[in-house]
Each structure stands twice: as structure tokens, then as C-alpha cells.
Amino acid sequence: MEPLRPGHTSVPGKTEPLDLIAQARAGDTQAWGDLYREFAPAIFRFCRRALPSKEDAEDATMEIFMKLRDKLAQYDTSRSFSAWLYKVAANHCWDILRRRKARHEKDMDDVDDIPLEAPEPNQLERLIEERTSEEVRKALDKLGARARMALVMRYYSDMSYDEIADALGVRRPFVGVVLLRARHELRQALGENTALAMGGTR
Amino acid sequence: MNDTGNSTNKHLDEITLLLYVERQLDRASAQEVSLHTQTCERCLTLLRALDRESRLLTRSMLEQDEPLPARLAEFHAQARKSMQWIWGLVFGMALLGIYSLYTVYIEPWEQQFEQAGFGGTNLLSLLVFQGAFWKGWQSMFTLVEFVALTSFAAFAFFLVRKYLKRGTALAVMFASMSLLMMTAASTPAQSVKIDTDMKGQKLEVKKDEVLRKDLYFAGSQLRIDGTVDGDVYAFAQEVDVSGHVTGDVICFARSARITGQVDGNVRSFTNNVTISGTVAKSVTTMNEDTRLDSAGKVGHNFSAFSQIVTVDGKVGRDVLVMFNEATISGTIEGNMKAKGESLTIASGAQIGGEAKFEGEKPADVSSGATLASPLQFTKIEHKSRTERGVGHYIWRVVWAGAWILLGLVLISLMPGFARETVESAERYGASFGLGVLVFFGVAIASLIACITIVGLLVGISTFFLWLVALFSSYVVVGAVVGCWILGKSTDFWPAVGRMALGVIIVVVATGLPHVGGWIMFGVWLWGMGAISLALYRRLQPMIAPNIPSMPAGPISTPLPPNTTVSPA
């Protein structure tokens, strides 16, 4: 059986928790508890990947679930609940990161048009071979907000390019560029302390 | 799709390969890439590397490297804890409010009344705990005892709450409240059993009748020609006392007339009151028209806060009057202190003590009046709003500082609630709508609760909560305004900075001439509405307790790659 993916919308055998949602909408505390129990860990990990600190992620998770109370009425039950939930979470995290733009970020608005040099394939293979998941997670912390957000939306919650474009406020054709630049940033961060010189890094 | 290099060494660019890996290319382009990578080793290697990079990214992200923090696992409990902070703070501020109210308003009044000859009776006890309104309460409760008892009950409930289920807790709470109310209501009322409590349209105590208990009356007309051996409490359109009342007369009426004898005090909150009989003790009135006729006598003090005051009779001690228009033509054996627009001391008037008048223009004193000492006149200076003194601005700064301090405390103690309140404030329509409801509705409800004996506890508590919300509204609106200017922040100090900036702006805006008052009113409505909305949302059922700290969610299993690329 195919394992579940947060944002996966068409996993065979997976049913949407429609009953729970209906009960939660009606104010059923137990249903809220069940929904929270089911989705809070995933949303927390999403926030943990997307935001700079654990405290931020905890705050954001709580805020997202508080928001959920108001927004649940807007949920279209014909669509995937988890996908919708990730969209809410992505928008919330991106809002948080945007608010910090003035202090930390420099690349939030426009897609950078500096051309990227293609990496040396073998070096890239070697880099990927040698890096662990933990190192990748640590390297994520060094990325700019948009790069990090794009990678999390795509590779954690499996959001579509359209959804990513919508959340980040970029045009759909630029999503690939954003993701590619994010990967370059990540490679640079991963290779920063090693002798590996990535051909395509900025 | 772009190729790089010359025809013999053409390579696909990285973005094309990435889009292929991500399955974002159309069929034709994908086929081109597929064909190309069959013959180009370099592009195939890069394609595989990108695919492996995707897998590495997905794996890294989905790995459960840390459990759900306890704070999140106990989210609901956390919310409840923060509510406890809220109630603690609210209770503390309520106490502060009581103290402030006492020192700022009641104490000066008390001194005024004492100066006016009320002796040991202070306004607080007069209005709230003294026998005139709730006889017997004073022996049981002082304000401090009352607050202490409430605090103790709340603390005891807090200690044992974990042993109580919700239903039991509610039952205990309501039972306690009922017990307290029953005690409060029954104990002082024992001496005033309601068998003389007359409710009806009209009541007449006839000339030869003697009523040996206190008389409570609510109706259209009360007429006492006989004797009431006790106090009279009347809520009526017309009250006429031509007989004899041995106690006090307390009346809320459209029109009151005392032509007989009252051995105690007269407290009147009416449209007009005329005293042409004898009141052995003091008279206190808040009316439109207060008249002490030439035949009227007041043994002790005469205090009137009315539009028109006429003192033609005799007052045994001091007179304290505030008015638009007053005429003194009778005898005042003590001091007179008057404040108002126009004062006439007519011929035949006698004032035995000091006479002071504070008004806009000097009093018209007839040569036929006899004053023990010359009338001391103090002119009231009306400063226009544009001519504010330095003191005004200093106080504005002090208030701004107080609000910022309050905001600092609120944000540090209740960051989550503070954030929710600001978010609620951003729902402008809901905030203002609820603000109007709370501003008027709660104030009126607390007033109604206060004027009934049973609702005193609820009334005072509600009123102070209302005051706290009113006071805090500046902080809430300040925080929103700060966020408008500097953007939102969830960090502590940036949030405080935004709030402080906003509060300063709000204080400046509310101090503007002409529009400042309206802005202040808007701030009250908006802020109170936001606080109420946030509280309402907090009190809604949210998350069930007992959430495991390490739950297995739907995404807990590792993800195999779904971006498999067939390099063909």
C-alpha cells in the first residue's frame, strides 16, 4: 500500500475525515480533539520546516488550528482536507515570514533573474550521496524564506505548482525557477563547509 | 526547452531537467528530454542527480526527527492555563479598579459630605452597605471582607477544581452563589420581613394607621398620612408624606413631597422634591427641582444636586448645593457651600456660618440678607479645549505610559490571547458590532444587577470587568495601529514596540480638539469588541484533552519517492 503523503489528494484507500469535520463544525469537542490529534503533528512538522525556530513553529501550529475554527466553514468537502489544511498552513507561515521581511529577508518579492550555472552532475551526485537527512534539515535553516518555503511546500506537503504559485504570490511559470534556485541555495549551504565546489552554486 | 553547447555537445538546461523530474513538462517536451537522455550521459547523470535530490529532500522533510512538543500536545490545557492568567489579572485589576475608584471618586466625595456634616457616614457605606439601602449589610460585610470572602472562595475553587468534573464544578459554583445570595438576602431582611411590602398601583397609609415596620413600595402613588414606625423605601411616580415616618425616607420617584415629619433622613432621587414639613436629620437629593419651602425644616444638613434649588425654609446645619440656578431666602445655621451658574441670596436669608460660592458670575446678594461673614466667591474659569494647560499634556503622557505598561504586562503574560485579540480587532465589523453591544449592554446590565440586592455581586464584578475592558481597549487598538504601520510581528519586543507606537498615536488622536472625543468613543467600542470577541472565541470548545505527545498522524510513515524518472 502506498504510504500517505500530507498533501496527497488521491491516495487509494484514504478517506477524508468528513464525519469528524462535520461534527467539529457543529462544535463537537471530541471531534476537534480527533482532528487535532490526526493533523497537528503533520502541521507542526510543516511549520518546523518552514519557520526558523521551534518556538515559531509551535506558535504557528496553534495559530493555524485557532484559525481553522473560523475557516472550517469555508472548507469544500469535495476536496482533500489535508491539502486544504496545508494550504492554510502555508499561507499562515508565509505571512509570518513576510512580516519579518523588513528585518531579515531580501528576496521576498521578485524572482531573482540572475542566471544559474548548471551544476557538475557528478559533483552533485556525490554531494547528495554524502549528505544525510539531518544535514539537509540543518541546511534548510540557512536558506532564504522563499526558497525554504518553496521546498517545504513542494517536498513536504506535495503541493502543486499552482498552489505554490498562489501561496508565494508568483506566477506559475516561475515556480520551477523558484524551486531550482532554492535547490542551488541548499546545495551551497550543504557544500559550504566541505571541499566540494558546486559548479552551479552562486 | 533550451539546449546548451554546440550541436555535438548539446545539453539540456537544469530547469528543463528539473521540470521533467517534477513531471511539469508537456508530453512533447517530456519525450524530447527522454530521447535526449538516452544518448547524453551528462544529462542523464544530472537528471538522476536531480531525482535523487528530490528524494533526499522529501525524506529529510518527512522524517520524524522530533516529537510533538508537550506544549502542543496539551494545547487545550495550555489555553485553559492562559485563561487562568486572564482571570487572575482581571481579578487583580478589578481590585485595583475598586481602589482607584475609591481614592479618585469616592474619597473626595466622602470628604465633601463629611464637611457638609454627614459625620461618620461615608458615601460608600451610604450608597452600598449602609442601612439606608441594605440594612444590616454593614454589620456583616465591609467591602474588604466582601472582597476577601470572594477571593477566598475563588482560590478554594481553584485548588479543588481538578477533583471536580465540569458538571459538578458548575453545580458547586451555582450552589455557592445561591447560598451566598440567600445568606445576603435573608440575614439582613429578617428584621424587615416582607409582610409590609406593598406592591400595587396605589398605597395609602391613612391618618390613624400606624405601620410598625419598614415600608417597601413599588407602584404609582404612595401617600402616607398616618405613621410608619420604620423606614420607607418607595419606587413610585408620586410620593407624598404628610404623616409621620420615624425612620428614613428613600425615594425614587417622579415627584416627592414631604409635608409631614420624618425623624430620620430623606434621600431622594426624583424629578422634583418639595419639603414643607420637618426632616429631623439630613436631606440628600439629586433632582431637577429641589425646594425647601418656608415652612420646611431640616435638622441637620441639606445637600442638593439639582438644576433648580430653592432654600426658603430652615436648615439646622450645613448646606451643600450644586445647581444651575439657586435661591436662598431661608435660614442656614451652619455653613453654605454652593457651586453653580446663578445664585441669588434674597432678602430675609440668614447664613450663620461661612458662605462660599463657586460660579461663573458673582451671586446676587440682597441687602436684606444676613450673612455672618461675607460671601466668598470663586469664579469658575472655563478653559476651551484648545487652551489646555501643561498639566493636561503631562497627564496624557502619564496615561500613555500607563497603557503601554498595561500592554507590556498583557503581552508578556498572555502572548497568545494578546495576539488573538489583535486578530479579532482586525475583524472590524464584528469588533465594532460586539463593542456596541458590550459597551452599552454590559454597562446597563451591571447597573440593573447592582440595583437589586441579589445581583450586587454580579453587578459589581461585571461593572469592573467592563471597566477593565474599557481601559484595555486603548492597548488593543494601539497594537492594531502599530501593526498597520510596522507590519505584524509575533516576537515579544517587536510586538510591544508596535503596541507602544500605536498607543501613542491613539492617545494623540483622542486628544485632538473636536474629533478627539469621537475617536475615543470609537477606540472604546473597537477595543472592547475585540477583547470580547477574543474571549468569546477562547471560551468556545476547541480541542479535547488527552492528546498524546507522540501521535501517529496520517503522514507518519516515510515517503517513497513519487518522482521517479525513467531515463529510458
Side-chain angles (χ1 to χ4, degrees):
Chain A
M1 180 182 160
E2 189 181 352
L4 303 180
R5 185 79 180 273
H8 227 284
T9 55
S10 57
V11 178
K14 182 180 187 301
T15 54
E16 292 297 334
L18 293 179
D19 285 348
L20 276 183
I21 293 165
Q23 289 163 14
R25 276 177 169 172
D28 185 330
T29 312
Q30 186 61 44
W32 267 112
D34 291 344
L35 270 183
Y36 183 80
R37 193 160 40 237
E38 191 167 359
F39 291 99
I43 293 298
F44 168 67
R45 275 198 294 280
F46 177 91
C47 298
R48 186 76 183 92
R49 307 287 182 248
L51 298 172
S53 73
K54 189 177 175 183
E55 290 70 31
D56 287 336
E58 289 178 16
D59 287 346
T61 305
M62 287 194 282
E63 286 159 5
I64 288 164
F65 276 91
M66 297 297 281
K67 259 188 186 174
L68 203 62
R69 284 190 303 178
D70 296 332
K71 285 185 175 274
L72 199 61
Q74 300 167 15
Y75 166 59
D76 175 3
T77 49
S78 64
R79 300 180 60 198
S80 160
F81 179 70
S82 51
W84 176 77
L85 182 55
Y86 276 103
K87 199 174 171 187
V88 173
N91 286 334
H92 187 80
C93 291
W94 184 235
D95 278 348
I96 291 173
L97 293 168
R98 276 205 330 221
R99 287 200 290 260
R100 297 178 184 178
K101 171 189 168 184
R103 295 203 307 278
H104 303 300
E105 301 302 334
K106 61 185 186 301
D107 63 345
M108 304 284 284
D109 293 329
D110 303 315
V111 176
D112 200 348
D113 56 0
I114 301 167
L116 292 173
E117 194 178 334
E120 173 55 46
N122 293 324
Q123 279 186 339
L124 178 58
E125 280 229 302
R126 208 160 55 243
L127 179 73
I128 294 164
E129 187 77 30
E130 290 171 358
R131 291 294 172 261
T132 64
S133 298
E134 192 179 354
E135 286 172 323
V136 172
R137 284 196 295 274
K138 282 183 180 166
L140 272 178
D141 290 340
K142 298 175 184 173
L143 304 194
R146 189 176 55 202
R148 181 179 179 142
M149 197 70 212
L151 291 176
V152 172
M153 283 193 281
R154 182 62 186 162
Y155 301 108
Y156 178 81
S157 49
D158 197 22
M159 289 169 72
S160 70
Y161 274 37
D162 284 325
E163 287 170 330
I164 295 171
D166 192 36
L168 292 183
V170 297
R171 287 190 291 142
R172 184 175 179 308
F174 281 112
V175 173
V177 180
V178 171
L179 284 169
L180 186 63
R181 289 194 176 280
R183 285 180 178 231
H184 276 247
E185 273 192 55
L186 184 72
R187 290 170 204 161
Q188 189 175 32
L190 281 170
E192 222 164 47
N193 301 321
T194 71
L196 280 167
M198 296 303 303
T201 53
R202 282 184 285 175
Chain B
M1 180 165 50
N2 298 319
D3 292 345
T4 56
N6 56 37
S7 60
T8 56
N9 190 23
K10 273 187 176 176
H11 295 299
L12 297 172
D13 60 20
E14 194 185 2
I15 184 73
T16 305
L17 291 171
L18 177 65
L19 292 175
Y20 180 80
V21 169
E22 299 266 305
R23 296 179 175 173
Q24 299 296 322
L25 291 180
D26 57 53
R27 178 180 282 270
S29 303
Q31 279 179 344
E32 275 185 50
V33 172
S34 183
L35 283 172
H36 179 87
T37 51
Q38 285 178 32
T39 56
C40 179
E41 187 63 31
R42 179 188 162 85
C43 288
L44 178 61
T45 309
L46 184 55
L47 188 69
R48 283 178 171 158
L50 288 170
D51 184 35
R52 292 185 64 187
E53 193 178 43
S54 292
R55 297 180 191 208
L56 176 63
L57 274 164
T58 305
R59 193 169 59 246
S60 306
M61 298 221 186
L62 291 185
E63 260 183 15
Q64 293 188 40
D65 52 321
E66 53 188 320
L68 192 69
R71 181 179 160 211
L72 287 181
E74 295 168 1
F75 181 28
H76 190 62
Q78 287 268 344
R80 287 188 167 196
K81 277 181 187 169
S82 65
M83 284 304 292
Q84 287 157 15
W85 273 111
I86 292 171
W87 294 125
L89 189 77
V90 162
F91 187 68
M93 291 196 69
L95 287 179
L96 190 66
I98 290 171
Y99 177 75
S100 305
L101 199 71
Y102 181 78
T103 52
V104 175
Y105 295 105
I106 295 174
E107 208 170 32
W109 275 51
E110 187 186 329
Q111 286 168 1
Q112 288 268 2
F113 272 73
E114 206 161 331
Q115 278 179 9
F118 274 78
T121 306
N122 62 53
L123 183 66
L124 185 68
S125 61
L126 170 75
L127 289 179
V128 183
F129 296 110
Q130 209 245 354
F133 276 79
W134 291 285
K135 206 157 190 167
W137 272 62
Q138 196 176 26
S139 60
M140 282 189 63
F141 292 102
T142 64
L143 180 64
V144 175
E145 283 168 347
F146 180 75
V147 171
L149 187 68
T150 315
S151 311
F152 179 75
F155 184 66
F157 180 75
F158 174 78
L159 285 181
V160 300
R161 78 196 189 289
K162 66 174 73 171
Y163 303 108
L164 300 173
K165 291 182 177 176
R166 186 177 294 179
T168 320
L170 282 173
V172 167
M173 190 179 80
F174 281 113
S176 307
M177 283 178 70
S178 306
L179 197 65
L180 187 65
M181 288 170 180
M182 281 166 65
T183 311
S186 63
T187 307
Q190 279 172 351
S191 61
V192 289
K193 191 74 176 91
I194 311 294
D195 58 346
T196 53
D197 206 358
M198 303 297 191
K199 289 186 179 176
Q201 286 301 303
K202 291 183 180 177
L203 175 68
E204 186 176 353
V205 180
K206 291 181 180 162
K207 196 169 182 181
D208 298 329
E209 284 180 349
V210 178
L211 203 60
R212 298 200 182 277
K213 291 190 175 175
D214 293 351
L215 172 62
Y216 294 87
F217 176 76
S220 65
Q221 192 177 10
L222 172 65
R223 184 176 177 87
I224 300 172
D225 291 333
T227 302
V228 175
D229 188 8
D231 297 335
V232 173
Y233 301 83
F235 298 83
Q237 286 184 11
E238 287 180 27
V239 176
D240 194 341
V241 180
S242 56
H244 183 195
V245 177
T246 60
D248 295 340
V249 173
I250 314 294
C251 57
F252 297 84
R254 191 182 64 191
S255 165
R257 186 172 179 85
I258 313 287
T259 52
Q261 182 176 344
V262 178
D263 293 345
N265 302 290
V266 171
R267 317 289 189 201
S268 154
F269 305 89
T270 55
N271 184 265
N272 63 77
V273 60
T274 304
I275 299 169
S276 47
T278 303
V279 179
K281 291 186 178 173
S282 299
V283 171
T284 306
T285 68
M286 290 184 189
N287 313 303
E288 191 180 332
D289 189 351
T290 302
R291 176 179 292 273
L292 179 64
D293 276 352
S294 56
K297 289 178 185 171
V298 176
H300 290 180
N301 305 292
F302 180 84
S303 304
F305 307 91
S306 306
Q307 199 171 353
I308 301 169
V309 179
T310 306
V311 181
D312 198 14
K314 184 180 175 185
V315 179
R317 292 186 186 171
D318 299 337
V319 167
L320 171 70
V321 282
M322 292 185 187
F323 50 84
N324 271 355
E325 189 183 327
T327 306
I328 310 290
S329 52
T331 302
I332 299 169
E333 295 188 351
N335 302 319
M336 183 194 77
K337 190 168 183 181
K339 183 173 181 178
E341 219 165 89
S342 162
L343 172 67
T344 304
I345 300 179
S347 175
Q350 292 181 30
I351 300 177
E354 281 187 341
K356 292 179 181 173
F357 172 53
E358 195 176 336
E360 291 179 7
K361 56 181 183 182
D364 179 9
V365 183
S366 165
S367 57
T370 310
L371 276 62
S373 61
L375 181 67
Q376 299 172 35
F377 172 67
T378 309
K379 187 171 171 58
I380 296 173
E381 295 290 341
H382 284 288
K383 285 184 181 174
S384 73
R385 284 184 170 269
T386 50
E387 291 173 12
R388 288 162 173 161
V390 180
H392 169 81
Y393 293 103
I394 291 173
W395 274 110
R396 302 288 300 177
V397 172
V398 170
W399 275 109
W403 276 311
I404 290 168
L405 195 63
L406 174 68
L408 182 73
V409 171
L410 292 178
I411 292 172
S412 63
L413 288 180
M414 303 176 291
F417 184 72
R419 205 161 36 232
E420 286 164 27
T421 307
V422 173
E423 281 174 10
S424 299
E426 286 170 341
R427 297 173 63 187
Y428 309 110
S431 290
F432 269 106
L434 195 58
V436 171
L437 188 71
V438 171
F439 185 84
F440 294 106
V442 175
I444 292 167
S446 63
L447 189 68
I448 290 170
C450 274
I451 62 172
T452 60
I453 297 170
V454 176
L456 190 64
L457 169 68
V458 178
I460 291 177
S461 310
T462 310
F463 179 67
F464 281 115
L465 281 177
W466 183 86
L467 274 183
V468 169
L470 191 74
F471 193 76
S472 306
S473 59
Y474 268 72
V475 177
V476 176
V477 176
V480 177
V481 171
C483 289
W484 283 350
I485 296 167
L486 297 177
K488 286 188 178 176
S489 174
T490 50
D491 295 338
F492 177 72
W493 285 111
V496 170
R498 283 159 174 75
M499 179 273 301
L501 175 67
V503 164
I504 291 166
I505 291 169
V506 170
V507 168
V508 169
T510 52
L512 291 173
H514 309 301
V515 294
W518 289 105
I519 294 174
M520 188 189 298
F521 186 58
V523 166
W524 285 342
L525 295 186
W526 188 8
M528 289 181 94
I531 293 166
S532 309
L533 192 60
L535 269 174
Y536 171 76
R537 291 164 69 181
R538 275 271 171 136
L539 293 171
Q540 290 298 296
M542 172 59 185
I543 305 297
N546 305 322
I547 292 159
S549 59
M550 186 65 181
I555 58 157
S556 54
T557 45
L559 175 77
N562 72 335
T563 51
T564 309
V565 175
S566 171

